[in-house]
Amino acid sequence: MLAATEAVDLARLFLDLLIVVVAAKVAAEAVERIGIPAVLGEIVAGIVIGPSALGVVELTGERGVSLGVMAEIGVLLLLVQVGMEMDLAELGRVGRASLVVAIIGVVVPFATGMGAGLALGEPGETALFLGAALTATSVGITARVFGDLRALATTEARVVLGAAVADDVLGLIILTVIVKVVTGGGVTVGSVASTIAAAVGFLVLAGVAAVFVVPRLLDVIHRTARSGTTLATAALALVVGLALLADVAQLAFIIGAFMAGLALGRSAHQERLAADLHSVGGIFIPIFFVLIGVNADLGAMLRPAVLFDAAVLLGIAVVGKLVSAYGAVGIHSDRLLIGIGMIPRGEVGLIFASIGLAEGVLDDELYGALLVVVLLSTVVTPPLLRWRISGTAARGPDDESVDAEPERGWVVRVDDEIVLTARPPATDVAQVALQAAALADHGHPSSSLLDWLSERRGVEIAWTADDTDALLRIVRRGHPRSIRFLDATGVLERGVPTIATALARRRGDPTELDPVRVLRFPTVARVEQLLADSAVEPDADRLGPLTTLTLAALATDVLGPDAGDGPVRALLDELAVERPGDVVHLLGSTDLLQAAAADLDGYGPVQVRHLATHMATAATASGAYLLAVASDLDHRHRDGLDELDRLVSDLLRHPDILGSGAVDLADDRRSRAAALVDEPAAIERLHGAPIDYLLAHEPDELARQARLVEPLPPNGTVRVAVSPDREPDHWLVDVACRDRAGLLARLSRSLTD
């Protein structure tokens, strides 16, 4: 009987988990599509499935405890992500302005929030928690809006992000102190001082381990491990271990998880670990946010007293962060923009509120009021930031003086910092950004360089072929920091908007768990690897211009392998490519080669000859082969590609079989066909026909088809011409129409019918 009861409870737990996970993902997908942070959708989903609405999930009994444990795991993983995304070196470089803004942004909301709590008649412990809950700033939400608007390089963005990171550190210390003081049963100078000392001591010791010990330890594990999951398991063990050490030091678990994230973020294996931990976090973190909504009492949140408390706390939350912008002294910046960027509370504010509820410091009404504050501050910030950034985008310095470009370029790397060597004109924004991006893999841009670029973020860019050459050199090196720099400064959006749109589409892909991978161009990287691989050594005279090959690979990465000629030519126009036809021809040859390799048994000598004739040159054949191999990710057709490459290369090396003789034959057929038609448009069509098409048909067939296709049939119109063949009882059926998906299948079915 006991076993049956346990089975029923376990089944119900699984059902609750299924409801929570599905509701979280459905809600996140829905709100992300309209530009609202996923976390808000997950909270609303919790309210809907919780006791406030449908009541299908309740946090009672053992099931509630089990779901709560999963939510706590989600909080740990959330703090790991915050730590991994934090760049302490960058925080140190943003300078005094960010630190002062952060301190004001913590002190003012904390003091006024605590005062408001006392004024509302709450006990001292509750007032302390209210003040602490208003201190944090959401790094993720603010960074996302600045990134979407290509304004991450602005002075204001750097100040806000630096201050938000400092806010999180200060907020975590405050949270740790207050939780210990509240649960310890009293507030004394000694208890506060000892808790602060313990928190700071733990942060210092864990920080030293994060910088000097953990990265080396992970390197050793990576070199010696035989299992592919050992490194990720070690990272997770580090997270749990530091969380337990924080608890031993009588600090919050999340402090340890945060420091573990800092350590993992400094590892050489950061990208791989981020992907692994993001996969786990993608399940557990939404559970935490959904349970916040489940815990919320919607009825209590809508009571006039709760709404009044929420209005008071929201006013304090907004004003406190707007006031913090006055700490940005000594820099030229938009203080209102800085203040707006500091408003959202986001995930950290929710953690504060949930801990207060769990510790019994906050009742349901105050918890609901804080939830309203977090939701509203998170919702209103993105449109306010967009409004302010868009309104100041065209702002730039007046009457600036410029210099001539030095011989070593507009920027150089001094130690690990990229600095301007002179004062460039605004028209050279693209050149300056590309030169800096080329150095960004082993250096970071100076504040003066970022300020110069951000002040000219409204300048239009006239992209040139020289800019494309510089971009291709950067793309071949494949370092994500270089691409991130060009994207964050808005240079790609203004110069090559198709590439910027592709990166934005990748960032919005919910299935992409690795934030670094969206900045890579995998086909370009694989082609580069093939060129460097000893197993693939195309002759130098066969390779042809590397630029054409790289452009074709870049077009594949940006537009996808099935992009038509129109989108490819539009991208090449943005890149100011002088001979776009060469790239289009290479991509078309690659498609033919891939199709042939997939059906090698159906390719005889005649078909191979046509394929070689279409490619025409050894350079095109070599480039098509490399692109095809780079696109064959599962190596299903590698043998076929190798065989076709050998056959085509042999044909291209014998001009007596293919080459000038084939060209002469094609020209002869073109001339004879043109003599059979009178229409100028049909004659022009024959003059533009590709050589393999001319070699595949006799002059009378060429003439008949040219007459049928001119003028071009409108969309939806199909022209059919039937004529007797040379053999008795045989007929030739010619069809002319616009291309569309599944056209060949439709024609085959029509003939069969």
Side-chain angles (χ1 to χ4, degrees):
M1 189 67 182
L2 179 61
T5 303
E6 290 178 350
V8 171
D9 290 341
L10 186 60
R12 179 62 203 188
L13 172 62
F14 286 157
L15 178 60
D16 288 345
L17 182 60
L18 174 64
I19 295 172
V20 168
V21 172
V22 172
K25 288 306 175 184
V26 170
E29 283 286 335
V31 299
E32 284 274 3
R33 296 176 189 276
I34 58 176
I36 297 177
V39 59
L40 298 183
E42 291 162 355
I43 294 173
V44 172
I47 294 175
V48 171
I49 66 176
S52 296
L54 300 179
V56 294
V57 173
E58 296 184 4
L59 299 182
T60 57
E62 295 181 358
R63 298 199 318 270
V65 172
S66 299
L67 287 175
V69 171
M70 296 180 190
E72 291 298 328
I73 296 174
V75 174
L76 291 183
L77 293 172
L78 176 63
L79 267 294
V80 171
Q81 291 184 8
V82 173
M84 291 186 73
E85 294 170 0
M86 185 174 297
D87 188 342
L88 292 180
E90 182 64 26
L91 178 59
R93 288 192 293 267
V94 294
R96 183 182 62 180
S98 288
L99 183 59
V100 175
V101 169
I103 292 175
I104 297 176
V106 168
V107 172
V108 173
F110 179 72
T112 53
M114 185 173 62
L118 294 174
L120 292 172
E122 301 295 339
E125 296 176 353
T126 302
L128 277 173
F129 234 101
L130 288 176
L134 299 180
T135 59
T137 296
S138 173
V139 180
I141 294 171
T142 302
R144 176 170 180 174
V145 177
F146 276 116
D148 288 345
L149 296 177
R150 307 294 188 272
L152 281 173
T154 62
T155 302
E156 294 84 0
R158 287 182 284 123
V159 170
V160 168
L161 296 181
V165 170
D167 267 7
D168 282 349
V169 176
L170 294 174
L172 289 174
I173 294 176
I174 290 174
L175 175 66
T176 298
V177 172
I178 290 178
V179 168
K180 184 176 180 181
V181 167
V182 168
T183 56
V187 179
T188 65
V189 175
S191 64
V192 172
S194 63
T195 303
I196 292 177
V200 173
F202 178 82
L203 290 174
V204 170
L205 293 176
V208 171
V211 173
F212 298 105
V213 179
V214 173
R216 293 178 173 83
L217 178 61
L218 292 176
D219 285 340
V220 173
I221 294 174
H222 175 70
R223 289 194 303 268
T224 58
R226 297 295 181 88
S227 171
T229 61
T230 301
L231 191 65
T233 304
L236 191 59
L238 173 69
V239 173
V240 177
L242 283 180
L244 290 174
L245 287 178
D247 181 64
V248 171
Q250 296 185 338
L251 305 175
F253 284 111
I254 57 176
I255 292 285
F258 174 77
M259 296 308 299
L262 283 180
L264 297 176
R266 297 186 63 86
S267 167
H269 313 285
Q270 185 265 347
E271 294 181 22
R272 174 182 172 184
L273 294 174
D276 292 338
L277 294 178
H278 275 61
S279 300
V280 181
I283 299 297
F284 287 99
I285 294 175
I287 294 176
F288 167 68
F289 291 123
V290 170
L291 293 193
I292 285 177
V294 172
N295 274 320
D297 186 345
L298 188 60
M301 291 170 61
L302 297 179
R303 294 173 189 167
V306 174
L307 294 178
F308 175 77
D309 292 347
V312 172
L313 296 176
L314 181 63
I316 292 173
V318 172
V319 173
K321 295 299 184 180
L322 291 177
V323 170
S324 71
Y326 286 92
V329 294
I331 59 174
H332 177 68
S333 61
D334 182 350
R335 289 182 176 173
L336 178 58
L337 179 57
I338 292 175
I340 294 173
M342 296 290 292
I343 289 175
R345 276 11 183 218
E347 302 89 341
V348 180
L350 293 173
I351 294 174
F352 276 54
S354 62
I355 291 177
L357 181 66
E359 295 291 340
V361 180
L362 302 178
D363 57 24
D364 289 341
E365 292 187 352
L366 283 178
Y367 175 77
L370 278 179
L371 196 58
V372 172
V373 171
V374 172
L375 292 176
L376 290 180
S377 66
T378 304
V379 169
V380 301
T381 301
L384 288 177
L385 281 176
R386 293 176 188 275
W387 161 74
R388 190 62 182 176
I389 293 174
S390 300
T392 60
R395 185 186 63 194
D398 299 326
D399 302 326
E400 62 173 338
S401 58
V402 299
D403 299 325
E405 182 177 4
E407 291 185 4
R408 54 181 180 167
W410 289 119
V411 297
V412 295
R413 185 168 54 222
V414 179
D415 296 329
D416 65 340
E417 190 173 49
I418 306 169
V419 299
L420 283 168
T421 57
R423 292 168 295 182
T427 54
D428 284 3
V429 166
Q431 293 91 316
V432 173
L434 287 165
Q435 291 177 19
L439 302 174
D441 53 345
H442 291 94
H444 65 270
S446 65
S447 297
S448 59
L449 172 60
L450 291 175
D451 290 343
W452 188 89
L453 289 170
S454 65
E455 289 170 356
R456 290 152 186 83
R457 64 184 183 273
V459 175
E460 294 185 3
I461 293 178
W463 197 269
T464 67
D466 290 338
D467 296 333
T468 294
D469 291 339
L471 177 63
L472 293 183
R473 288 193 293 270
I474 293 170
V475 168
R476 289 189 194 110
R477 294 170 66 177
H479 202 288
R481 288 179 58 181
S482 299
I483 303 301
R484 182 187 289 116
F485 176 81
L486 294 174
D487 188 41
T489 54
V491 171
L492 287 180
E493 184 180 44
R494 287 174 285 162
V496 197
T498 299
I499 296 180
T501 301
L503 296 179
R505 186 168 57 249
R506 293 182 190 176
R507 284 195 298 270
D509 183 1
T511 64
E512 179 55 74
L513 301 175
D514 187 352
V516 177
R517 195 154 45 221
V518 303
L519 301 169
R520 299 189 184 278
F521 298 95
T523 305
V524 176
R526 286 192 289 269
V527 168
E528 289 292 307
Q529 184 60 43
L530 288 170
L531 291 172
D533 192 344
S534 59
V536 179
E537 295 182 351
D539 298 336
D541 59 344
R542 292 182 56 214
L543 183 57
L546 182 60
T547 297
T548 301
L549 178 59
T550 307
L551 284 169
L554 179 64
T556 301
D557 285 328
V558 172
L559 301 172
D562 299 324
D565 288 355
V568 172
R569 289 186 179 273
L571 172 62
L572 298 176
D573 286 344
E574 291 179 4
L575 291 168
V577 176
E578 296 178 357
R579 296 172 58 90
D582 292 348
V583 180
V584 173
H585 182 237
L586 177 57
L587 288 170
S589 299
T590 304
D591 291 340
L592 291 175
L593 189 63
Q594 290 172 319
D599 186 25
L600 191 59
D601 293 338
Y603 250 67
V606 175
Q607 289 78 13
V608 174
R609 187 175 185 277
H610 287 165
L611 182 61
T613 302
H614 174 82
M615 294 183 178
T617 66
T620 301
S622 179
Y625 169 70
L626 287 172
L627 275 178
V629 172
S631 302
D632 186 25
L633 300 181
D634 53 4
H635 305 293
R636 291 174 55 193
H637 306 304
R638 180 61 184 271
D639 292 340
L641 290 172
D642 291 343
E643 177 66 15
L644 282 171
D645 181 59
R646 183 186 64 80
L647 294 173
V648 170
S649 300
D650 288 343
L651 286 173
L652 290 172
R653 290 193 185 98
H654 295 84
D656 54 327
I657 301 175
L658 189 73
S660 59
V663 173
D664 291 342
L665 177 59
D667 289 340
D668 177 67
R669 289 189 175 182
R670 181 187 287 112
S671 300
R672 291 165 60 191
L676 299 176
V677 297
D678 299 325
E679 298 84 355
I683 295 175
E684 183 65 25
R685 172 71 56 180
L686 289 169
H687 284 313
I691 187 172
D692 54 335
Y693 171 71
L694 295 170
L695 293 174
H697 299 82
E698 295 297 328
D700 58 333
E701 295 176 317
L702 296 171
R704 185 178 68 249
Q705 293 172 3
R707 284 192 297 266
L708 182 63
V709 81
E710 289 294 346
L712 290 174
N715 287 327
T717 300
V718 179
R719 295 181 189 148
V720 180
V722 181
S723 55
D725 196 5
R726 297 180 179 86
E727 298 183 32
D729 299 328
H730 283 69
W731 299 86
L732 298 174
V733 180
D734 294 312
V735 180
C737 61
R738 298 273 184 172
D739 192 16
R740 59 180 296 181
L743 177 60
L744 183 59
R746 291 171 182 266
L747 294 176
S748 300
R749 179 178 177 181
S750 298
L751 291 173
T752 302
D753 293 341

